[in-house]
Amino acid sequence: MDTISTSSRPALAPRKKDVLPLILLSILLAGIVSVIAGAALAPQYRAVPALLWSLGFCVSGMLLGFLFGIPRTLPSGTVNVAPPEAHANDGAPAASTSIASGNTSNTLFLGTPTPMEINSNLVEVSDWLTKIIVGVGLIELKSLPATARGVAAFIAPSLGVDAPTGMAVVGGIMLFFSVHGFLIGYLLTRIYLSIIIKRADSIVKNESVRLESGKEIDVAELSRLQQKSLDDLQEAVTRLLVAPPPGGADAVSAMASLPAAVKPLNNLLWVDDHPSKNTLLVEQLERDNIKVDQAVASRQALAMLQKKAYDLMITDMARLENGSAVKDAGVHTVREARQLKPELPVIIYCNKDTAALYSTEAEAAGARFITTSGTSLLAAVNKLLRTAP
């Protein structure tokens, strides 16, 4: 499915380069260069001790920022299998009962998320230490200037310059590197550690389900794809109620109702630069005895067409080709595939915007069917493959 349009799928947009670490690193390098310049020029203090103390204050600030930036985690909800009686009213078969009995013919899923307890000791220690640091700091706030002068007086002799100059240099080093180190530790911890912890928790909690084919899919992504399938199904049912199906639909429906083992095996090639978005549709096709091979670019698809005989090809419209966004890539794919395999039927599955813009060109290139609905796509595949002479 197309992912070039970022308005409808912001999560799939190409991630912009994160400049925050570069900015923090540039500021840190500027401070180090200033320290080195002070050692090379006037007042010409000792460079090595100055750099060591600078890095020491920076690391201390980073450690403090790390403690303050550790994200607090809230208990997340668990995902459990609903008991069989929960489905008694709506007539749907219970997934757990089906799986327990070894019957997986009516479900796409072999497993459900298994929640686990997450170790939060680091968060608790961070919370405890930050409260102590803030409390002691507020109590001893009035003695902070004297303590800073004492630390500066202790460090100044190591620079090898007179006391007033050494005190001034050390004061600048303390202020700059401790504050900047705190910002580095806090910002990087607050932003990136949150992402790392979330991913780790997701892995530990196993917030994914395994499909019958063995593929795993995230629960949130599964919910989104299921909702889209439900929307497509609702739209298709509405169309059926408004207009009767064509005459050939009876034969297709009869063939579709057969068990997968009875249906002939067909090979299908699906071209999409984001194949994960089609996971449920691919699963449904393979359950219908249709072997699906996937390609992410036109060049790869054409190479696969030369090596293997396919009964049908599906392609999206807008996608990345050689690192560039091509809005009508599907049209080019259809044209090249038809030149290579003139008898190969091609379906375009894309969003409504690209379908409206390029449907005429796609049909002229040889596309047999253009759809924006997953339900319509499955019906079109069934019709083209099961009613073929």
Side-chain angles (χ1 to χ4, degrees):
M1 198 65 172
D2 301 334
T3 55
I4 298 297
S5 175
T6 59
S7 59
S8 59
R9 295 175 178 83
L12 299 178
R15 184 179 179 181
K16 295 182 179 179
K17 187 176 182 179
D18 197 344
V19 297
L20 178 61
L22 297 179
I23 294 175
L24 295 175
L25 179 61
S26 299
I27 297 175
L28 178 61
L29 291 178
I32 294 177
V33 169
S34 299
V35 172
I36 296 176
L41 305 173
Q44 293 186 336
Y45 48 78
R46 295 172 183 170
V48 174
L51 285 175
L52 291 177
W53 284 112
S54 299
L55 296 177
F57 281 113
C58 183
V59 172
S60 300
M62 290 174 62
L63 177 60
L64 188 61
F66 172 77
L67 292 177
F68 275 82
I70 294 178
R72 294 181 59 85
T73 56
L74 297 176
S76 58
T78 58
V79 181
N80 299 318
V81 178
E85 58 270 15
H87 301 284
N89 295 330
D90 57 16
S96 57
T97 305
S98 177
I99 296 172
S101 62
N103 177 20
T104 60
S105 60
N106 294 325
T107 177
L108 293 177
F109 317 114
L110 292 179
T112 53
T114 304
M116 296 183 64
E117 184 68 24
I118 304 301
N119 191 323
S120 59
N121 291 340
L122 180 61
V123 177
E124 295 175 1
V125 171
S126 169
D127 186 49
W128 177 64
L129 287 177
T130 52
K131 290 178 180 178
I132 292 178
I133 293 172
V134 171
V136 174
L138 292 176
I139 295 174
E140 301 295 334
L141 186 61
K142 60 182 179 181
S143 62
L144 183 60
T147 302
R149 283 195 296 270
V151 173
F154 173 78
I155 298 175
S158 65
L159 301 183
V161 293
D162 57 279
T165 302
M167 291 280 289
V169 173
V170 172
I173 289 175
M174 291 172 57
L175 182 62
F176 177 85
F177 285 97
S178 59
V179 172
H180 187 60
F182 177 85
L183 290 177
I184 292 176
Y186 179 81
L187 292 176
L188 296 185
T189 301
R190 184 67 183 86
I191 297 174
Y192 298 102
L193 186 63
S194 301
I195 299 175
I196 296 173
I197 291 178
K198 184 176 180 180
R199 289 177 179 174
D201 288 356
S202 177
I203 295 174
V204 173
K205 291 180 180 179
N206 190 24
E207 293 181 350
S208 62
V209 294
R210 186 183 302 172
L211 303 180
E212 188 176 322
S213 62
K215 301 174 184 176
E216 290 193 0
I217 184 171
D218 183 75
V219 171
E221 180 65 13
L222 175 63
S223 300
R224 191 191 69 80
L225 293 177
Q226 283 183 322
Q227 183 59 50
K228 187 176 185 303
S229 298
L230 290 175
D231 294 340
D232 290 341
L233 182 60
Q234 184 178 16
E235 183 179 354
V237 171
T238 302
R239 290 178 180 176
L240 288 176
L241 293 175
V242 174
D250 294 338
V252 178
S253 300
M255 179 63 74
S257 63
L258 292 175
V262 179
K263 300 175 183 178
L265 176 64
N266 294 104
N267 294 314
L268 185 150
L269 177 60
W270 196 321
V271 189
D272 195 319
D273 56 342
H274 291 81
S276 61
K277 300 304 174 185
N278 307 315
T279 301
L280 292 186
L281 293 174
V282 171
E283 185 76 12
Q284 188 62 43
L285 290 171
E286 293 189 341
R287 283 166 52 86
D288 209 28
N289 211 24
I290 299 174
K291 178 67 173 66
V292 180
D293 295 333
Q294 301 189 61
V296 296
S298 297
R299 181 179 299 178
Q300 181 186 6
L302 295 175
M304 295 172 69
L305 285 175
Q306 292 177 333
K307 295 179 181 178
K308 183 177 179 179
Y310 290 96
D311 303 298
L312 180 67
M313 184 173 78
I314 302 174
T315 177
D316 60 347
M317 182 65 75
R319 62 173 173 266
L320 294 177
E321 292 282 0
N322 299 322
S324 301
V326 183
K327 294 183 178 180
D328 59 344
V331 176
H332 300 291
T333 302
V334 172
R335 186 178 295 115
E336 293 172 356
R338 296 281 294 176
Q339 290 177 355
L340 186 63
K341 302 284 185 179
E343 302 301 324
L344 179 68
V346 182
I347 297 176
I348 293 184
Y349 177 50
C350 59
N351 61 41
K352 294 181 179 180
D353 294 335
T354 52
L357 287 174
Y358 302 106
S359 59
T360 303
E361 297 180 30
E363 291 176 356
R368 295 284 296 275
F369 188 69
I370 302 173
T371 182
T372 63
S373 166
T375 304
S376 299
L377 175 69
L378 294 176
V381 170
N382 211 356
K383 180 178 180 180
L384 291 174
L385 292 182
R386 304 311 189 193
T387 61

